Amino acid sequence: MANVFLSYDHDDLALAKAIAVTLEKAGHTVWFDHHIHGGAQYSQKIEQALDAADAVVVLWSERSLNSAWVRDEAAEGRDRGKLVPLTIGGVSPPMGFRQFQTIDLGAWRGRGKVPRADALLKAVASQAELSASPPSDPGQAIAPPPLPVIAGRRLWWPAGAAALALMAAGGAWWWSQESKLPVVEVAAANPSTRSQAAASDLYVKLGSLAQVGQGKWQLIDGSARSSSPDLLFRTADVGSPVAPKANLVLLDKDGSLLWSREFTTPAGGSEADLRQQVAVNAGRVLGCALESKQSGGLDRDFVKLFLTACAALPEASSEEQVGMAGQLRSLVSRNPKFKPAWKQLLTAQMSAVDLANNQGEKGAGIEQLRTDSQTARSFFPDIAQATLADVRMLPHASYAQELALYQKAANQSPDDPQIFAELMSPLMRVGRMYDAVVAARRAVQLDPLSGYAQTQLVLALAYAGQIEAARTELEKAERTWPGSGTVKNAQFAFHLRFGDPRLALADAQEDNIAGRDFLKARIAPTSGNIAKVLSSIGPVKAHPASYEVAGIVQALSQLDQVDAAFAWIVNTPTDELADVSYVLFRPTLANVRKDPRFIAVVERIGLLKFWRESGTWPDFCNDPTLTYDCKVEAAKHAS
């Protein structure tokens, strides 16, 4: 008999119960999240159940198709070779799951017997036999474990969010030993009515964060002080309804300044948007402050430096992060056993390497990153950011090794949102666009206060072809982190390829002639404008750099110049093309992928070998409009 994990949308609970009863009557043990009791750790229980399962039965319905959690659990079942998919209401499984034989339950509404129950029981019994059978070849290499895109459904507890979990983490340097909880006071900085209202709003919003943090810190209203605070927020509304503006400061219990920031909104922004900004930043800096104390504390001057960097990094652009690296390096040189600063420094230096690579300056900053990561490991051997730094040291076509390093990083720090936000990139490099979206959503779950995680989700959705979903998430980011570097970058990237080209044109650099011509052609795709793009790009170079190819082939394919795009791809050196393989799977290259010549391209950069050896084929192979069968075409290139 089998241990069965049943995945479904909560609105399909009646159907799930009927399916569970059918399986249990046949002698199988069925687990579904209805079994989780109040107070249980939701994600941990789901992971344990998936680990123990012989079969993962997934009920695809109109509702579950839109559930990231069901898709996540289904991916676990697929990657572990345990998937038993069911469909109902005439839906088709989402891309990435259509290659599996599916049991169709028709229009069943949960009454009476489960349709095709015999087929379901047979499939589950078959999975049980496979789980019980030893490998046919004992010497065969065991496949690596699936990437930790952790399953879950509706996270009503903080699965380790960078800020929220830190709020919950404790530490006892700034707060009384009697309560063992940090006491945080919120009050207006002046007696004006607007400032009083702003303080009240911040108190309510931080109160909801405290609830998410499971009551691990104590919030008090400064207008009715009942205990001595350890940290104090003071906010002042210094704007007007038509021009919202506010200040926020964080003070130590003795009244000394730890952190401060001024908030404004772009033209047309509302007071509600401004107050949301203030609350999100207050939550984030509070998490940073508690992390500092949990890690042993810093001298007052270094606390200010750390809080400024820690609070700013999640919404800073790559250029802004690079500027913080020097300050953070001076911090760790004086405080080498302060782990949070090492994490921030390695993150900033990785941004420096990535930015240089994107600008065609190969290898710039890599030796400094190597030195920083080696030094960090000498104090903290399992620091996950050093493992992420190792990714930057790999050759460009090291797809399996790259994913293995992200697996290692996730094992070292399973609740670190940075790992999942970055995981988006290597998954896209091998064409797993949906899995990249799952990873990006996981990062947002882990740190809902991070502008970086939110904008990574925007880009993951856009590059997976989910344009309207990406637009919705971008609007959310624009309201919460207006004007921040990471949001500006996401706005430009989205509108450059998918959104309003006029908005991208307004932000395009004046010296980027080809880019500006491309945007004009998107606005008005006349033959004359397209000819200008081709003229701006110029003839195919013998050995173009990867950063040139990334932009050029997207533009050419998007303007339906497929042969011209292939000409650039063919002339790009293998190593350079592998460096930007993620571009090959974006919606802008759909016309290129539909051409059978594409298989020769991915064979040259090692992706065909990776897909064969991993057994996981890219999402585009399930595209019903594809003019060829991936595996059949790939067989022609078998070595």
Side-chain angles (χ1 to χ4, degrees):
M1 294 295 103
N3 290 320
V4 179
F5 181 100
L6 180 56
S7 178
Y8 66 102
D9 185 88
H10 275 209
D11 289 336
D12 296 325
L13 179 59
L15 306 180
K17 286 183 177 179
I19 293 169
V21 168
T22 297
L23 291 166
E24 288 170 346
K25 283 183 177 179
H28 301 298
T29 301
V30 182
W31 189 99
F32 59 118
D33 62 4
H34 191 63
H35 292 167
I36 298 180
H37 301 294
Q41 287 195 332
Y42 201 85
S43 182
Q44 182 180 356
K45 292 293 185 182
I46 288 176
E47 289 183 67
Q48 291 171 352
L50 280 167
D51 288 339
D54 301 308
V56 177
V57 176
V58 177
L59 179 61
W60 293 118
S61 69
E62 288 186 1
R63 291 167 289 273
S64 65
L65 286 176
N66 296 317
S67 168
W69 319 126
V70 173
R71 290 188 182 224
D72 205 345
E73 292 161 357
E76 288 289 318
R78 176 195 63 197
D79 294 343
R80 298 174 190 227
K82 302 177 179 181
L83 184 64
V84 178
L86 314 175
T87 60
I88 193 163
V91 304
S92 297
M95 290 184 65
F97 299 94
R98 295 174 186 170
Q99 66 269 44
F100 297 91
Q101 185 173 354
T102 303
I103 300 170
D104 186 0
L105 304 186
W108 179 58
R109 296 178 179 272
R111 296 181 179 180
K113 294 182 179 180
V114 177
R116 304 193 64 193
D118 290 345
L120 170 61
L121 296 175
K122 182 178 179 180
V124 169
S126 177
Q127 288 293 346
E129 291 175 4
L130 289 173
S131 296
S133 300
S136 57
D137 180 3
Q140 186 177 7
I142 299 174
L147 286 165
V149 182
I150 314 274
R153 217 185 279 318
R154 295 184 176 89
L155 293 184
W156 39 263
W157 62 287
L164 300 186
L166 293 170
M167 296 176 188
W173 203 45
W174 270 344
W175 47 89
S176 65
Q177 292 296 324
E178 290 77 10
S179 69
K180 299 186 185 302
L181 295 175
V183 178
V184 182
E185 180 183 282
V186 179
N190 59 55
S192 75
T193 301
R194 293 182 60 82
S195 292
Q196 295 291 333
S200 177
D201 184 82
L202 177 59
Y203 179 80
V204 170
K205 286 185 167 65
L206 278 180
S208 67
L209 293 180
Q211 184 178 16
V212 172
Q214 298 182 344
K216 298 298 183 180
W217 50 288
Q218 182 181 352
L219 193 67
I220 60 174
D221 185 350
S223 64
R225 180 179 295 182
S226 57
S227 61
S228 176
D230 302 295
L231 295 169
L232 304 90
F233 277 118
R234 294 291 182 264
T235 184
D237 188 315
V238 293
S240 66
V242 295
K245 186 176 181 180
N247 298 324
L248 179 67
V249 299
L250 178 66
L251 306 174
D252 200 349
K253 58 185 176 183
D254 62 3
S256 58
L257 179 67
L258 296 174
W259 173 87
S260 65
R261 181 170 168 180
E262 182 178 276
F263 298 88
T264 58
T265 62
S270 67
E271 283 187 294
D273 293 342
L274 180 77
R275 290 179 178 180
Q276 179 68 11
Q277 284 187 67
V278 173
V280 166
N281 280 272
R284 193 162 66 230
V285 76
L286 178 56
C288 294
L290 300 187
E291 182 181 26
S292 171
K293 292 308 159 187
Q294 184 190 18
S295 299
L298 291 167
D299 292 340
R300 181 63 52 78
D301 289 341
F302 287 114
V303 168
K304 295 177 182 178
L305 174 59
F306 172 71
L307 291 184
T308 299
C310 180
L313 273 172
E315 63 180 77
S317 67
S318 297
E319 293 85 349
E320 291 166 338
Q321 290 192 34
V322 171
M324 298 177 191
Q327 291 181 313
L328 288 164
R329 196 168 288 111
S330 67
L331 195 161
V332 297
S333 68
R334 294 282 299 274
N335 302 270
K337 294 185 178 181
F338 187 65
K339 187 175 182 179
W342 279 112
K343 292 165 58 179
Q344 303 292 348
L345 170 59
L346 292 177
T347 297
Q349 189 58 35
M350 283 187 281
S351 289
V353 170
D354 294 342
L355 180 62
N357 187 58
N358 291 336
Q359 295 176 342
E361 301 173 10
K362 302 290 185 180
I366 199 73
E367 287 306 316
Q368 182 64 64
L369 178 61
R370 193 190 310 274
T371 298
D372 290 339
S373 62
Q374 289 173 348
T375 307
R377 276 198 175 108
S378 69
F379 295 102
F380 308 101
D382 292 329
I383 185 169
Q385 278 67 26
T387 302
L388 298 182
D390 290 342
V391 173
R392 275 75 178 177
M393 318 294 178
L394 291 173
H396 293 316
S398 304
Y399 310 109
Q401 297 96 316
E402 188 173 10
L403 289 169
L405 283 174
Y406 277 95
Q407 174 74 67
K408 178 181 177 182
N411 291 340
Q412 291 171 327
S413 185
D415 292 331
D416 190 330
Q418 180 186 358
I419 296 168
F420 291 93
E422 284 199 17
L423 178 58
M424 172 185 117
S425 179
L427 289 171
M428 287 186 171
R429 291 189 68 216
V430 298
R432 292 168 59 181
M433 311 304 278
Y434 170 72
D435 287 344
V437 172
V438 172
R441 285 196 185 280
R442 180 62 175 163
V444 173
Q445 290 172 12
L446 292 172
D447 191 356
L449 305 185
S450 169
Y452 170 70
Q454 179 68 30
T455 52
Q456 285 293 92
L457 176 58
V458 171
L459 298 179
L461 288 165
Y463 296 148
Q466 300 180 42
I467 307 304
E468 288 310 309
R471 194 189 309 275
T472 297
E473 296 296 339
L474 178 58
E475 290 170 353
K476 184 187 302 182
E478 290 168 340
R479 290 193 300 270
T480 308
W481 299 278
S484 68
T486 187
V487 170
K488 287 180 179 178
N489 288 348
Q491 287 171 325
F492 181 77
F494 177 79
H495 292 298
L496 174 65
R497 303 291 177 192
F498 314 106
D500 187 342
R502 294 173 179 81
L503 297 178
L505 184 60
D507 291 331
Q509 296 179 1
E510 290 294 332
D511 60 353
N512 184 3
I513 304 300
R516 295 180 67 84
D517 284 344
F518 165 71
L519 288 166
K520 292 174 183 177
R522 274 198 63 207
I523 295 169
T526 64
S527 58
N529 281 342
I530 293 174
K532 285 184 179 179
V533 175
L534 297 177
S535 176
S536 298
I537 291 174
V540 178
K541 294 182 180 180
H543 299 286
S546 59
Y547 73 96
E548 292 180 289
V549 173
I552 289 172
V553 299
Q554 287 186 90
L556 292 172
S557 180
Q558 201 161 355
L559 296 175
D560 206 24
Q561 305 295 307
V562 175
D563 287 339
F566 268 110
W568 277 88
I569 291 171
V570 168
N571 279 276
T572 303
T574 299
D575 192 53
E576 295 287 333
L577 186 59
D579 184 29
V580 292
S581 65
Y582 53 84
V583 169
L584 300 175
F585 306 103
R586 291 180 178 176
T588 46
L589 264 76
N591 290 342
V592 168
R593 288 192 298 275
K594 290 179 181 179
D595 192 309
R597 288 178 290 176
F598 184 72
I599 295 298
V601 171
V602 294
E603 192 275 337
R604 176 162 68 93
I605 60 177
L607 276 172
L608 213 54
K609 178 182 178 182
F610 170 77
W611 294 335
R612 288 194 187 104
E613 292 180 350
S614 68
T616 303
W617 289 77
D619 295 353
F620 85 91
C621 289
N622 297 310
D623 182 353
T625 67
L626 201 62
T627 58
Y628 57 88
D629 182 291
C630 281
K631 293 182 181 180
V632 171
E633 196 67 28
K636 300 176 184 178
H637 296 265
S639 56

